[in-house]
Amino acid sequence: MTKVLLVGGFLALGAGAASAHPHVWITATSALVYAPDGTVTGVRHAWTFDDMFSTYALQGLETKQKGVYSREELAPLAQTNVESLKEFGYFTFAKADGKKSKFLEPIDYYLEYKDAALVLHFTLPLKTPVKSRELAVEVFDPTYFIDFTFVDKDPITLVGAPAGCQMKFERPNDGTAQTQRLNEQNFASGDNSNYGAMFANKITVDCP
């Protein structure tokens, strides 16, 4: 149990610590989930942690079979991770027609061990499901301790979206120019609390 808490603390430390470059790398896929009436009900994530973090997280975890980790054996670690991420909004930020939308605590969360890496699955329900002409969702760590890179093939899916909805996905651009400007401005004042916004993954859905 101490190990589980340590891993959760590591994620929490990463999210809260000022950092100019990432220490944890996540490969992600996400889905926007719609109800039959056309409202958006939440965001479903699958985050694959890098090899180094996965190895670190699994150290000392007792299992029935060496090198094999069941969902049940990983359940305490999954719970600790999602609880640790609560303070930081799960690195997921949404706006419906320009107004901020809040999320409830994750549901249907679990960890799986796949291809020598840990994958965290969870769904973030919207506190108030929305039917909007434009929905914008961004995934990033403001401190850039954690780097989010979405997979090349089918990074974003729309589940149950009304006909006619158009989705656009923008990956982070090369941040060289912004980094130089941030170094001159924000770091001079000691404020890099939103450094990671330059590396945000942006999802926009326009519905008729």
Side-chain angles (χ1 to χ4, degrees), residues 64-85:
K64 293 180 180 179
Q65 185 177 347
K66 185 177 180 180
V68 177
Y69 304 89
S70 68
R71 187 182 299 190
E72 291 72 25
E73 290 167 335
L74 292 170
L77 181 58
Q79 180 179 351
T80 300
N81 282 347
V82 295
E83 288 176 352
S84 297
L85 295 175

Side-chain angles (χ1 to χ4, degrees), residues 78-204:
Q79 180 179 351
T80 300
N81 282 347
V82 295
E83 288 176 352
S84 297
L85 295 175
K86 179 181 179 180
E87 182 180 351
F88 311 103
Y90 308 98
F91 306 121
T92 307
F93 311 92
K95 287 185 178 180
D97 293 330
K99 296 181 179 180
K100 289 184 179 180
S101 296
K102 294 183 178 181
F103 292 102
L104 298 173
E105 295 186 6
I107 59 172
D108 302 330
Y109 61 83
Y110 64 95
L111 274 170
E112 68 171 333
Y113 185 67
K114 183 178 180 181
D115 299 329
L118 285 172
V119 186
L120 178 63
H121 300 263
F122 64 101
T123 298
L124 286 174
L126 281 168
K127 184 176 183 180
T128 304
V130 294
K131 182 182 288 187
S132 60
R133 185 172 182 82
E134 181 181 87
L135 176 70
V137 178
E138 295 188 357
V139 179
F140 67 98
D141 173 10
T143 67
Y144 201 44
F145 187 97
I146 300 173
D147 175 84
F148 288 90
T149 300
F150 277 74
V151 298
D152 293 330
K153 184 179 180 182
D154 301 326
I156 312 296
T157 55
L158 305 181
V159 180
C165 288
Q166 306 261 335
M167 189 270 291
K168 181 173 70 172
F169 176 56
E170 295 180 61
R171 299 175 187 274
N173 294 323
D174 180 2
T176 304
Q178 295 99 317
T179 301
Q180 182 177 356
R181 186 165 62 249
L182 191 79
N183 284 339
E184 294 171 353
Q185 297 176 358
N186 297 51
F187 278 91
S189 64
D191 178 17
N192 63 345
S193 58
N194 202 34
Y195 180 86
M198 295 189 305
F199 306 96
N201 297 272
K202 301 178 180 181
I203 307 160
T204 307

Side-chain angles (χ1 to χ4, degrees), residues 2-22:
T2 301
K3 187 63 185 178
V4 171
L5 294 174
L6 178 60
V7 173
F10 183 77
L11 276 178
L13 172 64
S19 176
H21 56 86

